[in-house]
Amino acid sequence: MIRVQIDLNGKTALVTGSTQGIGFAIAKALAGSGARVAINGRSRASVDGAVARLRDEIPGADALGLVADVATEEGAGAAASALPEADVLVNNLGIFGSEEPLEISDDEWRRYFEVNVLAAIRLTRHYLPGMTAKGWGRIQYIASDSAIVIPAEMIHYGVSKTALLGVSRGFAKAAAGTGVTVNSVIVGPTHTGGVEDFVYQLVDKSLPWEAAQREFMKAYRPQSLLQRLIEPEEVANLVAYLSSPLASATTGAAVRVDGGYVDAIVP
């Protein structure tokens, strides 16, 4: 019998924006697979709390805290100094929100690209050379179904995620033949605290959560085949696989964990 086992023992992983939500679920999945995981956030309190929670949920987990705002040049530099090398880089940090399309200012467009795109590019520039020198590495960009199906109520977010698909494909070409794989993960509507807040911006705030979720999916995401929000752990399972030696032939790809939301045979 052939058993599929994700083994990341001896590997060091950095997951940006990982004190909660999808990022924390990814960090937990990687730690559970044996990796040494750097949890990243902007405040010492949030990072220390997430590290303690991870060690509590995964006894014996090798976790460290990395306090840095990687959406800035200074913060990315601080992160690189604190963790000079990594075998796995998961660019999870991102912001989202709804806004009237014609009211999105230049400053808001810039902010979305700084956080959602440039943060990932800066860290890739730092860690990719070390990975190629060792002949092994995994880089992932957490994208979104909004990269393909641009929502009218959050164009700036969708376009920033579209950019990540191009960034991922381009860096995969830069790493061709080195043993380093670079992929993006297209995530569908996912159940996190931040998404709960977003849902209640769009539906009746008096509705209980289960009813609000159903109303949101019906009104704003009707093409979902799953017909429910995705749980963060379901995203983390795919990321853990792509981070492992098992995914050695998957690179330059946009891999979907979207609940069938994108109505296409290929991304």
Side-chain angles (χ1 to χ4, degrees):
M1 178 185 295
I2 298 176
R3 294 184 178 179
V4 175
Q5 182 175 359
I6 296 174
D7 183 0
L8 292 172
N9 282 287
K11 306 298 185 185
T12 296
L14 168 59
V15 184
T16 64
S18 49
T19 60
Q20 60 185 342
I22 292 173
F24 181 81
I26 291 170
K28 181 178 175 181
L30 297 178
S33 299
R36 174 177 177 247
V37 179
I39 288 182
N40 164 246
R42 292 181 297 176
S43 76
R44 173 57 62 186
S46 66
V47 169
D48 286 350
V51 170
R53 177 185 166 196
L54 181 63
R55 290 173 176 164
D56 181 60
E57 296 183 11
I58 307 283
D62 189 355
L64 64 146
L66 201 165
V67 181
D69 183 359
V70 298
T72 68
E73 291 185 53
E74 296 78 10
S81 296
L83 188 72
E85 294 186 359
D87 303 291
V88 177
L89 170 63
V90 181
N91 293 293
N92 169 75
L93 177 67
I95 55 175
F96 64 94
S98 62
E99 194 162 349
E100 287 296 321
L102 298 180
E103 295 178 7
I104 304 170
S105 67
D106 286 357
D107 285 343
E108 192 72 343
W109 275 103
R110 292 187 188 100
R111 185 169 77 95
Y112 269 73
F113 269 79
E114 283 283 348
V115 178
N116 291 357
V117 184
L118 284 174
I121 290 172
R122 292 186 185 110
L123 292 176
T124 300
R125 283 199 308 246
H126 174 77
Y127 289 109
L128 181 56
M131 293 178 183
T132 56
K134 290 186 292 186
W136 198 95
R138 301 286 186 264
I139 297 176
Q140 294 175 57
Y141 302 84
I142 304 303
S144 165
D145 57 78
S146 296
I148 302 169
V149 186
I150 305 291
E153 75 276 7
M154 48 198 303
I155 294 173
H156 51 339
Y157 170 75
V159 171
S160 72
K161 292 298 185 177
T162 305
L164 280 185
L165 302 185
V167 167
S168 173
R169 181 69 183 180
F171 279 120
K173 291 180 178 180
T178 66
V180 179
T181 66
V182 184
N183 295 289
S184 54
V185 176
I186 298 175
V187 179
T190 304
H191 181 198
T192 66
V195 167
E196 286 193 20
D197 294 339
F198 175 66
V199 167
Y200 278 118
Q201 290 177 24
L202 300 172
V203 303
D204 186 348
K205 294 180 174 58
S206 68
L207 290 173
W209 169 244
E210 287 303 321
Q213 176 183 183
R214 288 195 299 272
E215 179 63 25
F216 170 77
M217 296 300 287
K218 178 181 177 181
Y220 292 94
R221 304 293 185 268
Q223 59 270 57
S224 169
L225 301 182
L226 205 58
Q227 297 185 356
R228 65 167 174 80
L229 290 173
I230 298 162
E231 292 302 322
E233 292 75 17
E234 294 175 306
V235 177
N237 290 338
L238 177 59
V239 173
Y241 166 74
L242 291 174
S243 300
S244 76
L246 298 176
S248 56
T250 304
T251 191
V255 187
R256 288 162 52 186
V257 56
D258 67 342
Y261 176 81
V262 177
D263 191 9
I265 296 172
V266 296

